[in-house]
Amino acid sequence: MKKFRTLDEFEEEYFRKHPEEIDDYLTEIFQEYAEDNDYGTLLASLRVVVRVREINEIAILRDSTDNFCDSKLDIPQTAEVPTNYDD
């Protein structure tokens, strides 16, 4: 029987190959959350990003002779958490 990948597995692989697209993805998922308030979908998407970021950071650490607190590990603060004041 053929085993299919889950959507999370597919997204993780995609973002490992295209890490430059993560910031735009974060912006998009927060915009969607602002529109539909689907907390479960937001958390699922954030879990994917966290797993990909951790893997990338571990790879940077392994290949780096710099200190652990090197600025390469700083996660950019590009996405803001939307607030819904209409509730």
Side-chain angles (χ1 to χ4, degrees):
M1 176 184 257
K2 189 173 183 176
K3 183 181 179 206
F4 294 98
R5 294 184 296 172
T6 66
L7 180 59
D8 286 353
E9 292 169 337
F10 177 81
E11 286 180 324
E12 284 180 45
E13 180 182 338
Y14 178 82
F15 285 120
R16 279 190 206 106
K17 293 179 180 178
H18 304 95
E20 70 281 358
E21 295 186 27
I22 292 175
D23 290 339
D24 290 336
Y25 178 69
L26 286 170
T27 301
E28 182 179 324
I29 64 173
F30 280 109
Q31 287 172 345
E32 289 179 10
Y33 174 72
E35 293 172 9
D36 61 20
N37 291 323
D38 188 345
Y39 189 67
T41 299
L42 174 67
L43 288 179
S45 297
L46 289 174
R47 284 186 198 105
V48 169
V49 172
V50 167
R51 285 192 297 264
V52 171
R53 291 275 187 168
E54 287 178 355
I55 291 169
N56 286 342
E57 289 174 3
I58 290 169
I60 289 169
L61 282 175
R62 184 184 54 199
D63 296 336
S64 175
T65 59
D66 297 339
N67 188 329
F68 179 78
C69 295
D70 190 316
S71 62
K72 290 188 287 187
L73 298 179
D74 292 341
I75 297 174
Q77 302 295 322
T78 59
E80 294 182 18
V81 177
T83 55
N84 187 349
Y85 296 105
D86 296 334
D87 288 344

Short mmCIF file of all heavy atoms in Angstrom, two decimals, residues 21-81:
data_model
loop_
_atom_site.label_atom_id
_atom_site.label_comp_id
_atom_site.label_asym_id
_atom_site.label_seq_id
_atom_site.Cartn_x
_atom_site.Cartn_y
_atom_site.Cartn_z
N GLU A 21 10.42 32.16 1.81
CA GLU A 21 8.98 32.38 1.69
C GLU A 21 8.24 32.29 3.03
O GLU A 21 7.03 32.52 3.09
CB GLU A 21 8.39 31.40 0.69
CG GLU A 21 8.90 31.62 -0.71
CD GLU A 21 8.22 30.76 -1.74
OE1 GLU A 21 7.06 30.38 -1.51
OE2 GLU A 21 8.84 30.47 -2.76
N ILE A 22 8.95 31.99 4.10
CA ILE A 22 8.30 31.82 5.40
C ILE A 22 7.69 33.12 5.90
O ILE A 22 6.57 33.13 6.42
CB ILE A 22 9.28 31.23 6.44
CG1 ILE A 22 9.61 29.79 6.06
CG2 ILE A 22 8.70 31.30 7.84
CD1 ILE A 22 10.65 29.13 6.94
N ASP A 23 8.38 34.24 5.74
CA ASP A 23 7.85 35.51 6.23
C ASP A 23 6.54 35.88 5.55
O ASP A 23 5.59 36.32 6.22
CB ASP A 23 8.87 36.64 6.05
CG ASP A 23 10.06 36.49 6.97
OD1 ASP A 23 9.95 35.79 8.00
OD2 ASP A 23 11.12 37.07 6.67
N ASP A 24 6.46 35.68 4.25
CA ASP A 24 5.21 35.95 3.54
C ASP A 24 4.10 35.00 4.00
O ASP A 24 2.94 35.40 4.13
CB ASP A 24 5.39 35.83 2.02
CG ASP A 24 6.24 36.95 1.45
OD1 ASP A 24 6.31 38.02 2.07
OD2 ASP A 24 6.82 36.74 0.36
N TYR A 25 4.46 33.76 4.26
CA TYR A 25 3.49 32.76 4.74
C TYR A 25 2.95 33.18 6.10
O TYR A 25 1.74 33.09 6.35
CB TYR A 25 4.17 31.40 4.81
CG TYR A 25 3.31 30.29 5.34
CD1 TYR A 25 2.22 29.82 4.62
CD2 TYR A 25 3.59 29.69 6.56
CE1 TYR A 25 1.44 28.77 5.10
CE2 TYR A 25 2.82 28.65 7.05
CZ TYR A 25 1.74 28.20 6.31
OH TYR A 25 0.97 27.17 6.79
N LEU A 26 3.83 33.65 6.98
CA LEU A 26 3.38 34.11 8.30
C LEU A 26 2.40 35.27 8.18
O LEU A 26 1.36 35.29 8.86
CB LEU A 26 4.58 34.52 9.16
CG LEU A 26 5.43 33.38 9.71
CD1 LEU A 26 6.70 33.94 10.33
CD2 LEU A 26 4.64 32.57 10.72
N THR A 27 2.71 36.21 7.31
CA THR A 27 1.81 37.34 7.10
C THR A 27 0.45 36.85 6.62
O THR A 27 -0.59 37.29 7.11
CB THR A 27 2.41 38.32 6.07
OG1 THR A 27 3.67 38.79 6.56
CG2 THR A 27 1.50 39.50 5.82
N GLU A 28 0.47 35.92 5.70
CA GLU A 28 -0.78 35.39 5.14
C GLU A 28 -1.62 34.65 6.18
O GLU A 28 -2.84 34.84 6.25
CB GLU A 28 -0.47 34.46 3.97
CG GLU A 28 -1.69 33.91 3.29
CD GLU A 28 -1.34 33.02 2.11
OE1 GLU A 28 -0.36 33.30 1.41
OE2 GLU A 28 -2.06 32.03 1.91
N ILE A 29 -0.99 33.81 7.00
CA ILE A 29 -1.78 33.04 7.96
C ILE A 29 -2.39 33.95 9.02
O ILE A 29 -3.50 33.70 9.49
CB ILE A 29 -1.00 31.86 8.58
CG1 ILE A 29 0.19 32.33 9.41
CG2 ILE A 29 -0.62 30.86 7.53
CD1 ILE A 29 0.90 31.22 10.18
N PHE A 30 -1.68 35.03 9.40
CA PHE A 30 -2.26 35.95 10.37
C PHE A 30 -3.39 36.78 9.74
O PHE A 30 -4.38 37.09 10.41
CB PHE A 30 -1.20 36.86 10.98
CG PHE A 30 -0.43 36.18 12.08
CD1 PHE A 30 0.89 35.81 11.89
CD2 PHE A 30 -1.02 35.91 13.30
CE1 PHE A 30 1.61 35.19 12.89
CE2 PHE A 30 -0.33 35.28 14.31
CZ PHE A 30 0.99 34.92 14.12
N GLN A 31 -3.27 37.10 8.46
CA GLN A 31 -4.36 37.81 7.78
C GLN A 31 -5.60 36.92 7.70
O GLN A 31 -6.73 37.39 7.92
CB GLN A 31 -3.93 38.25 6.39
CG GLN A 31 -2.97 39.41 6.40
CD GLN A 31 -2.40 39.72 5.02
OE1 GLN A 31 -2.50 38.94 4.09
NE2 GLN A 31 -1.79 40.88 4.91
N GLU A 32 -5.41 35.65 7.38
CA GLU A 32 -6.54 34.72 7.33
C GLU A 32 -7.18 34.55 8.70
O GLU A 32 -8.40 34.49 8.82
CB GLU A 32 -6.10 33.38 6.76
CG GLU A 32 -5.79 33.42 5.28
CD GLU A 32 -5.32 32.09 4.73
OE1 GLU A 32 -5.42 31.06 5.45
OE2 GLU A 32 -4.87 32.07 3.58
N TYR A 33 -6.34 34.49 9.72
CA TYR A 33 -6.87 34.37 11.08
C TYR A 33 -7.70 35.61 11.44
O TYR A 33 -8.76 35.50 12.08
CB TYR A 33 -5.74 34.19 12.09
CG TYR A 33 -6.22 34.20 13.52
CD1 TYR A 33 -6.94 33.12 14.03
CD2 TYR A 33 -5.96 35.28 14.35
CE1 TYR A 33 -7.40 33.12 15.34
CE2 TYR A 33 -6.42 35.28 15.66
CZ TYR A 33 -7.13 34.21 16.15
OH TYR A 33 -7.58 34.22 17.44
N ALA A 34 -7.26 36.79 11.02
CA ALA A 34 -8.00 38.02 11.29
C ALA A 34 -9.37 37.99 10.63
O ALA A 34 -10.33 38.57 11.15
CB ALA A 34 -7.20 39.23 10.81
N GLU A 35 -9.47 37.31 9.50
CA GLU A 35 -10.74 37.24 8.78
C GLU A 35 -11.69 36.18 9.33
O GLU A 35 -12.89 36.42 9.44
CB GLU A 35 -10.49 36.95 7.29
CG GLU A 35 -9.80 38.08 6.56
CD GLU A 35 -9.39 37.70 5.15
OE1 GLU A 35 -9.79 36.62 4.67
OE2 GLU A 35 -8.66 38.49 4.54
N ASP A 36 -11.16 35.00 9.67
CA ASP A 36 -12.06 33.91 10.06
C ASP A 36 -11.94 33.45 11.51
O ASP A 36 -12.72 32.61 11.96
CB ASP A 36 -11.88 32.71 9.12
CG ASP A 36 -10.47 32.14 9.14
OD1 ASP A 36 -9.72 32.38 10.10
OD2 ASP A 36 -10.14 31.43 8.18
N ASN A 37 -10.95 33.97 12.25
CA ASN A 37 -10.75 33.61 13.67
C ASN A 37 -10.64 32.11 13.90
O ASN A 37 -11.06 31.59 14.93
CB ASN A 37 -11.86 34.18 14.54
CG ASN A 37 -11.78 35.68 14.63
OD1 ASN A 37 -10.71 36.25 14.68
ND2 ASN A 37 -12.93 36.33 14.63
N ASP A 38 -10.07 31.38 12.93
CA ASP A 38 -9.89 29.93 13.07
C ASP A 38 -8.57 29.67 13.79
O ASP A 38 -7.51 29.55 13.19
CB ASP A 38 -9.90 29.26 11.69
CG ASP A 38 -9.92 27.75 11.79
OD1 ASP A 38 -9.64 27.20 12.88
OD2 ASP A 38 -10.21 27.11 10.76
N TYR A 39 -8.68 29.59 15.12
CA TYR A 39 -7.51 29.44 15.98
C TYR A 39 -6.76 28.13 15.71
O TYR A 39 -5.54 28.08 15.72
CB TYR A 39 -7.98 29.51 17.44
CG TYR A 39 -6.88 29.59 18.45
CD1 TYR A 39 -6.06 30.70 18.54
CD2 TYR A 39 -6.68 28.54 19.36
CE1 TYR A 39 -5.05 30.77 19.48
CE2 TYR A 39 -5.69 28.60 20.30
CZ TYR A 39 -4.88 29.72 20.37
OH TYR A 39 -3.88 29.79 21.30
N GLY A 40 -7.49 27.06 15.44
CA GLY A 40 -6.87 25.76 15.18
C GLY A 40 -6.00 25.77 13.94
O GLY A 40 -4.90 25.23 13.94
N THR A 41 -6.49 26.41 12.88
CA THR A 41 -5.72 26.49 11.65
C THR A 41 -4.47 27.34 11.85
O THR A 41 -3.38 27.00 11.38
CB THR A 41 -6.58 27.08 10.51
OG1 THR A 41 -7.70 26.21 10.30
CG2 THR A 41 -5.80 27.20 9.22
N LEU A 42 -4.61 28.45 12.58
CA LEU A 42 -3.46 29.31 12.87
C LEU A 42 -2.39 28.52 13.62
O LEU A 42 -1.22 28.55 13.25
CB LEU A 42 -3.90 30.53 13.69
CG LEU A 42 -2.76 31.42 14.18
CD1 LEU A 42 -2.06 32.11 13.01
CD2 LEU A 42 -3.29 32.45 15.17
N LEU A 43 -2.79 27.80 14.66
CA LEU A 43 -1.81 27.03 15.44
C LEU A 43 -1.15 25.94 14.62
O LEU A 43 0.05 25.71 14.73
CB LEU A 43 -2.48 26.43 16.68
CG LEU A 43 -2.84 27.41 17.78
CD1 LEU A 43 -3.52 26.67 18.93
CD2 LEU A 43 -1.63 28.16 18.27
N ALA A 44 -1.91 25.26 13.77
CA ALA A 44 -1.34 24.21 12.93
C ALA A 44 -0.30 24.79 11.99
O ALA A 44 0.78 24.21 11.80
CB ALA A 44 -2.45 23.52 12.14
N SER A 45 -0.59 25.94 11.41
CA SER A 45 0.36 26.59 10.49
C SER A 45 1.61 27.06 11.23
O SER A 45 2.73 26.93 10.73
CB SER A 45 -0.30 27.77 9.79
OG SER A 45 -1.38 27.33 9.00
N LEU A 46 1.42 27.60 12.43
CA LEU A 46 2.57 28.05 13.23
C LEU A 46 3.45 26.88 13.65
O LEU A 46 4.68 27.02 13.69
CB LEU A 46 2.10 28.84 14.45
CG LEU A 46 1.50 30.20 14.16
CD1 LEU A 46 0.94 30.82 15.44
CD2 LEU A 46 2.53 31.13 13.53
N ARG A 47 2.85 25.73 13.93
CA ARG A 47 3.64 24.54 14.28
C ARG A 47 4.56 24.14 13.13
O ARG A 47 5.71 23.74 13.35
CB ARG A 47 2.73 23.38 14.66
CG ARG A 47 2.14 23.50 16.02
CD ARG A 47 1.35 22.23 16.40
NE ARG A 47 0.47 22.54 17.48
CZ ARG A 47 -0.85 22.71 17.38
NH1 ARG A 47 -1.45 22.55 16.23
NH2 ARG A 47 -1.57 23.01 18.43
N VAL A 48 4.06 24.22 11.91
CA VAL A 48 4.88 23.89 10.74
C VAL A 48 6.07 24.83 10.67
O VAL A 48 7.22 24.40 10.50
CB VAL A 48 4.04 23.97 9.44
CG1 VAL A 48 4.94 23.89 8.21
CG2 VAL A 48 3.00 22.88 9.41
N VAL A 49 5.82 26.13 10.83
CA VAL A 49 6.90 27.12 10.75
C VAL A 49 7.93 26.89 11.85
O VAL A 49 9.14 26.93 11.60
CB VAL A 49 6.33 28.56 10.83
CG1 VAL A 49 7.45 29.58 10.95
CG2 VAL A 49 5.46 28.85 9.62
N VAL A 50 7.47 26.59 13.06
CA VAL A 50 8.40 26.36 14.17
C VAL A 50 9.28 25.15 13.89
O VAL A 50 10.49 25.20 14.10
CB VAL A 50 7.62 26.17 15.50
CG1 VAL A 50 8.51 25.62 16.59
CG2 VAL A 50 7.00 27.49 15.92
N ARG A 51 8.69 24.07 13.39
CA ARG A 51 9.51 22.88 13.09
C ARG A 51 10.55 23.19 12.01
O ARG A 51 11.70 22.77 12.12
CB ARG A 51 8.61 21.72 12.68
CG ARG A 51 7.88 21.09 13.85
CD ARG A 51 7.24 19.77 13.47
NE ARG A 51 6.21 19.92 12.45
CZ ARG A 51 4.91 20.03 12.69
NH1 ARG A 51 4.47 20.03 13.94
NH2 ARG A 51 4.04 20.13 11.71
N VAL A 52 10.16 23.93 10.99
CA VAL A 52 11.10 24.27 9.92
C VAL A 52 12.19 25.19 10.44
O VAL A 52 13.37 24.99 10.16
CB VAL A 52 10.37 24.90 8.72
CG1 VAL A 52 11.35 25.45 7.70
CG2 VAL A 52 9.44 23.89 8.07
N ARG A 53 11.82 26.20 11.21
CA ARG A 53 12.81 27.14 11.76
C ARG A 53 13.79 26.43 12.67
O ARG A 53 14.98 26.71 12.63
CB ARG A 53 12.12 28.26 12.54
CG ARG A 53 11.35 29.22 11.71
CD ARG A 53 12.25 30.29 11.19
NE ARG A 53 11.41 31.28 10.52
CZ ARG A 53 11.82 32.44 10.14
NH1 ARG A 53 13.06 32.80 10.35
NH2 ARG A 53 11.02 33.27 9.53
N GLU A 54 13.31 25.53 13.53
CA GLU A 54 14.22 24.82 14.43
C GLU A 54 15.21 23.99 13.64
O GLU A 54 16.39 23.94 13.97
CB GLU A 54 13.43 23.94 15.38
CG GLU A 54 12.71 24.71 16.45
CD GLU A 54 11.89 23.83 17.37
OE1 GLU A 54 11.79 22.61 17.13
OE2 GLU A 54 11.33 24.38 18.33
N ILE A 55 14.76 23.33 12.60
CA ILE A 55 15.66 22.53 11.77
C ILE A 55 16.71 23.41 11.12
O ILE A 55 17.89 23.10 11.11
CB ILE A 55 14.88 21.71 10.72
CG1 ILE A 55 14.07 20.63 11.43
CG2 ILE A 55 15.80 21.11 9.68
CD1 ILE A 55 13.06 19.93 10.57
N ASN A 56 16.30 24.56 10.58
CA ASN A 56 17.24 25.47 9.94
C ASN A 56 18.23 26.03 10.94
O ASN A 56 19.41 26.16 10.65
CB ASN A 56 16.50 26.62 9.26
CG ASN A 56 15.80 26.19 7.99
OD1 ASN A 56 16.11 25.15 7.43
ND2 ASN A 56 14.85 26.98 7.54
N GLU A 57 17.77 26.35 12.15
CA GLU A 57 18.67 26.89 13.17
C GLU A 57 19.68 25.85 13.63
O GLU A 57 20.84 26.16 13.85
CB GLU A 57 17.86 27.43 14.34
CG GLU A 57 17.11 28.70 13.97
CD GLU A 57 16.19 29.18 15.07
OE1 GLU A 57 16.17 28.58 16.15
OE2 GLU A 57 15.50 30.17 14.82
N ILE A 58 19.26 24.61 13.75
CA ILE A 58 20.19 23.54 14.13
C ILE A 58 21.25 23.38 13.05
O ILE A 58 22.43 23.22 13.34
CB ILE A 58 19.43 22.22 14.38
CG1 ILE A 58 18.60 22.34 15.65
CG2 ILE A 58 20.40 21.03 14.45
CD1 ILE A 58 17.63 21.21 15.87
N ALA A 59 20.86 23.46 11.79
CA ALA A 59 21.82 23.36 10.69
C ALA A 59 22.81 24.52 10.73
O ALA A 59 24.01 24.33 10.49
CB ALA A 59 21.09 23.33 9.35
N ILE A 60 22.34 25.71 11.04
CA ILE A 60 23.23 26.87 11.14
C ILE A 60 24.22 26.66 12.27
O ILE A 60 25.41 26.91 12.12
CB ILE A 60 22.41 28.16 11.36
CG1 ILE A 60 21.65 28.54 10.09
CG2 ILE A 60 23.32 29.31 11.77
CD1 ILE A 60 20.63 29.65 10.29
N LEU A 61 23.74 26.19 13.41
CA LEU A 61 24.62 25.97 14.55
C LEU A 61 25.69 24.93 14.25
O LEU A 61 26.85 25.10 14.60
CB LEU A 61 23.82 25.51 15.77
CG LEU A 61 23.08 26.59 16.53
CD1 LEU A 61 22.23 25.95 17.62
CD2 LEU A 61 24.04 27.59 17.12
N ARG A 62 25.31 23.88 13.59
CA ARG A 62 26.25 22.80 13.29
C ARG A 62 27.36 23.30 12.37
O ARG A 62 28.52 22.94 12.52
CB ARG A 62 25.52 21.63 12.66
CG ARG A 62 26.43 20.45 12.40
CD ARG A 62 25.71 19.35 11.69
NE ARG A 62 25.10 19.91 10.49
CZ ARG A 62 24.11 19.36 9.83
NH1 ARG A 62 23.62 18.24 10.22
NH2 ARG A 62 23.62 19.92 8.75
N ASP A 63 27.01 24.18 11.41
CA ASP A 63 27.98 24.67 10.44
C ASP A 63 28.68 25.94 10.89
O ASP A 63 29.55 26.44 10.18
CB ASP A 63 27.30 24.93 9.09
CG ASP A 63 26.74 23.65 8.49
OD1 ASP A 63 27.27 22.57 8.83
OD2 ASP A 63 25.80 23.74 7.69
N SER A 64 28.33 26.46 12.04
CA SER A 64 28.85 27.75 12.48
C SER A 64 29.84 27.57 13.61
O SER A 64 29.68 26.73 14.48
CB SER A 64 27.70 28.65 12.93
OG SER A 64 28.19 29.84 13.45
N THR A 65 30.86 28.40 13.62
CA THR A 65 31.80 28.42 14.74
C THR A 65 31.48 29.58 15.66
O THR A 65 32.17 29.80 16.64
CB THR A 65 33.25 28.57 14.23
OG1 THR A 65 33.33 29.78 13.49
CG2 THR A 65 33.64 27.39 13.38
N ASP A 66 30.42 30.33 15.35
CA ASP A 66 30.03 31.49 16.15
C ASP A 66 29.35 31.06 17.44
O ASP A 66 29.00 29.91 17.64
CB ASP A 66 29.06 32.38 15.36
CG ASP A 66 29.70 32.95 14.11
OD1 ASP A 66 30.94 32.99 14.06
OD2 ASP A 66 28.96 33.34 13.20
N ASN A 67 29.13 32.02 18.29
CA ASN A 67 28.43 31.82 19.55
C ASN A 67 26.98 31.44 19.29
O ASN A 67 26.39 31.82 18.29
CB ASN A 67 28.50 33.14 20.33
CG ASN A 67 27.97 33.00 21.74
OD1 ASN A 67 27.08 32.20 22.01
ND2 ASN A 67 28.53 33.78 22.64
N PHE A 68 26.36 30.73 20.21
CA PHE A 68 24.96 30.32 20.09
C PHE A 68 24.04 31.52 19.91
O PHE A 68 23.04 31.44 19.21
CB PHE A 68 24.55 29.52 21.32
CG PHE A 68 23.11 29.09 21.30
CD1 PHE A 68 22.72 28.01 20.54
CD2 PHE A 68 22.15 29.77 22.03
CE1 PHE A 68 21.41 27.60 20.51
CE2 PHE A 68 20.83 29.37 22.00
CZ PHE A 68 20.46 28.28 21.24
N CYS A 69 24.35 32.62 20.51
CA CYS A 69 23.49 33.80 20.45
C CYS A 69 23.79 34.67 19.23
O CYS A 69 23.40 35.83 19.18
CB CYS A 69 23.64 34.63 21.72
SG CYS A 69 23.07 33.76 23.18
N ASP A 70 24.44 34.12 18.27
CA ASP A 70 24.75 34.84 17.04
C ASP A 70 23.49 35.43 16.44
O ASP A 70 22.42 34.85 16.50
CB ASP A 70 25.39 33.87 16.05
CG ASP A 70 25.98 34.55 14.84
OD1 ASP A 70 25.32 35.44 14.29
OD2 ASP A 70 27.10 34.19 14.45
N SER A 71 23.60 36.57 15.82
CA SER A 71 22.43 37.26 15.26
C SER A 71 21.78 36.47 14.13
O SER A 71 20.65 36.72 13.77
CB SER A 71 22.82 38.64 14.76
OG SER A 71 23.77 38.53 13.72
N LYS A 72 22.47 35.48 13.55
CA LYS A 72 21.87 34.67 12.49
C LYS A 72 20.67 33.89 13.00
O LYS A 72 19.82 33.48 12.23
CB LYS A 72 22.88 33.69 11.92
CG LYS A 72 23.97 34.33 11.11
CD LYS A 72 24.82 33.30 10.43
CE LYS A 72 25.70 32.61 11.42
NZ LYS A 72 26.66 31.70 10.81
N LEU A 73 20.58 33.68 14.30
CA LEU A 73 19.49 32.90 14.85
C LEU A 73 18.28 33.74 15.21
O LEU A 73 17.26 33.20 15.60
CB LEU A 73 19.96 32.13 16.08
CG LEU A 73 21.08 31.14 15.83
CD1 LEU A 73 21.47 30.46 17.12
CD2 LEU A 73 20.65 30.11 14.80
N ASP A 74 18.38 35.04 15.12
CA ASP A 74 17.24 35.90 15.45
C ASP A 74 16.13 35.70 14.45
O ASP A 74 16.33 35.78 13.24
CB ASP A 74 17.65 37.37 15.46
CG ASP A 74 18.59 37.70 16.60
OD1 ASP A 74 18.64 36.91 17.57
OD2 ASP A 74 19.29 38.73 16.52
N ILE A 75 14.95 35.43 14.95
CA ILE A 75 13.78 35.27 14.08
C ILE A 75 13.20 36.65 13.85
O ILE A 75 12.84 37.34 14.81
CB ILE A 75 12.74 34.32 14.70
CG1 ILE A 75 13.35 32.93 14.85
CG2 ILE A 75 11.47 34.29 13.87
CD1 ILE A 75 12.48 31.95 15.57
N PRO A 76 13.09 37.09 12.60
CA PRO A 76 12.59 38.44 12.34
C PRO A 76 11.15 38.59 12.78
O PRO A 76 10.34 37.68 12.67
CB PRO A 76 12.71 38.58 10.82
CG PRO A 76 12.90 37.22 10.29
CD PRO A 76 13.40 36.35 11.41
N GLN A 77 10.84 39.77 13.30
CA GLN A 77 9.49 40.07 13.77
C GLN A 77 8.74 40.79 12.67
O GLN A 77 8.51 41.98 12.73
CB GLN A 77 9.56 40.95 15.03
CG GLN A 77 10.33 40.31 16.16
CD GLN A 77 9.64 39.06 16.69
OE1 GLN A 77 8.42 39.03 16.77
NE2 GLN A 77 10.41 38.05 17.01
N THR A 78 8.35 40.06 11.63
CA THR A 78 7.70 40.70 10.48
C THR A 78 6.20 40.62 10.52
O THR A 78 5.52 41.40 9.88
CB THR A 78 8.18 40.06 9.17
OG1 THR A 78 7.87 38.67 9.21
CG2 THR A 78 9.66 40.27 8.97
N ALA A 79 5.66 39.68 11.26
CA ALA A 79 4.21 39.51 11.28
C ALA A 79 3.67 39.98 12.63
O ALA A 79 4.22 39.69 13.67
CB ALA A 79 3.84 38.06 11.06
N GLU A 80 2.59 40.73 12.58
CA GLU A 80 1.95 41.18 13.80
C GLU A 80 0.72 40.33 14.06
O GLU A 80 0.05 39.90 13.14
CB GLU A 80 1.54 42.64 13.66
CG GLU A 80 2.71 43.59 13.55
CD GLU A 80 2.26 45.02 13.47
OE1 GLU A 80 1.11 45.32 13.82
OE2 GLU A 80 3.06 45.85 13.06
N VAL A 81 0.45 40.10 15.33
CA VAL A 81 -0.75 39.35 15.69
C VAL A 81 -1.94 40.29 15.53
O VAL A 81 -2.00 41.34 16.13
CB VAL A 81 -0.66 38.85 17.14
CG1 VAL A 81 -1.93 38.14 17.54
CG2 VAL A 81 0.55 37.95 17.32
#
